[in-house]
Amino acid sequence: MKILVINGPNINMIGIREKHIYGNVSYEKIVHLIVQEGKKRNMEITCVQSNYEGDLVTWIQDAYFEKYDGIIINPGAYTHTSIALLDAIKAIVPIPVVEVHLSDINEREEFRHISYISNACIKTIKGKKELGYIEALDVLLDYCRNREL
């Protein structure tokens, strides 16, 4: 399985910024964890991060043409603002997408309770820090196995 992990703005600052919210684990360590856990599941993992919305949209679209089996996305603040990401995810059906948030967005400021992309995702995982990405790998694995039956 080919899985694309897309991280949005400021995710590269994890382990540095607001540790009381996001934890102490650096972005680099999270990427390493995702790749290692992917290998255990016979998954080929590609991780990307950008602070620019257009990059995220392009990566979502490219996943369709490059025949990825699934996407994990942490859109960062674009979660609450980007209809462009929603439209991109809707455009690549049937590729399953799992939304991941390190913090529980529903326990934070009210404006963070809104996720534009959640309706186009097969699952949203929040508040599990870096382990949310690992859960997302398992969600995609189960989803793709069940779809093949």
Side-chain angles (χ1 to χ4, degrees):
M1 283 183 72
K2 276 178 55 172
I3 304 298
L4 178 62
V5 180
I6 300 173
N7 285 290
N10 299 309
I11 304 301
N12 59 312
M13 300 299 287
I14 296 302
I16 298 169
R17 66 181 278 231
E18 300 171 287
K19 293 179 183 181
H20 64 287
I21 296 173
Y22 301 109
N24 296 319
V25 179
S26 71
Y27 175 69
E28 292 77 18
K29 287 183 180 176
I30 292 172
V31 168
H32 180 76
L33 174 68
I34 296 166
V35 170
Q36 292 307 310
E37 291 295 323
K39 285 180 184 176
K40 291 178 186 177
R41 293 159 176 79
N42 294 316
M43 295 173 156
E44 176 187 332
I45 307 290
T46 302
C47 293
V48 292
Q49 186 278 328
S50 179
N51 295 317
Y52 301 100
E53 183 179 27
D55 288 344
L56 279 63
V57 169
T58 298
W59 289 328
I60 292 166
Q61 293 173 357
D62 287 349
Y64 179 84
F65 296 106
E66 295 173 16
K67 309 274 190 244
Y68 276 86
D69 298 299
I71 295 174
I72 298 169
I73 186 168
N74 182 341
Y78 292 134
T79 302
H80 322 292
T81 64
S82 182
I83 295 168
L85 289 179
L86 169 64
D87 289 346
I89 292 168
K90 288 165 77 175
I92 61 159
V93 171
I95 298 175
V97 179
V98 177
E99 176 183 18
V100 171
H101 299 283
L102 296 165
S103 67
D104 186 339
I105 59 176
N106 290 331
E107 293 181 357
R108 298 189 59 198
E109 304 94 335
E110 191 168 328
F111 68 87
R112 294 186 195 274
H113 299 184
I114 297 167
S115 170
Y116 280 101
I117 71 164
S118 64
N119 289 331
C121 295
I122 62 168
K123 184 165 184 169
T124 298
I125 300 167
K126 53 193 173 206
K128 298 186 177 180
K129 306 254 189 301
E130 64 276 3
L131 297 180
Y133 290 98
I134 308 314
E135 183 178 332
L137 292 175
D138 290 333
V139 167
L140 287 173
L141 189 61
D142 290 344
Y143 182 88
C144 290
R145 282 182 181 159
N146 290 333
R147 189 170 56 180
E148 292 172 2
L149 298 176

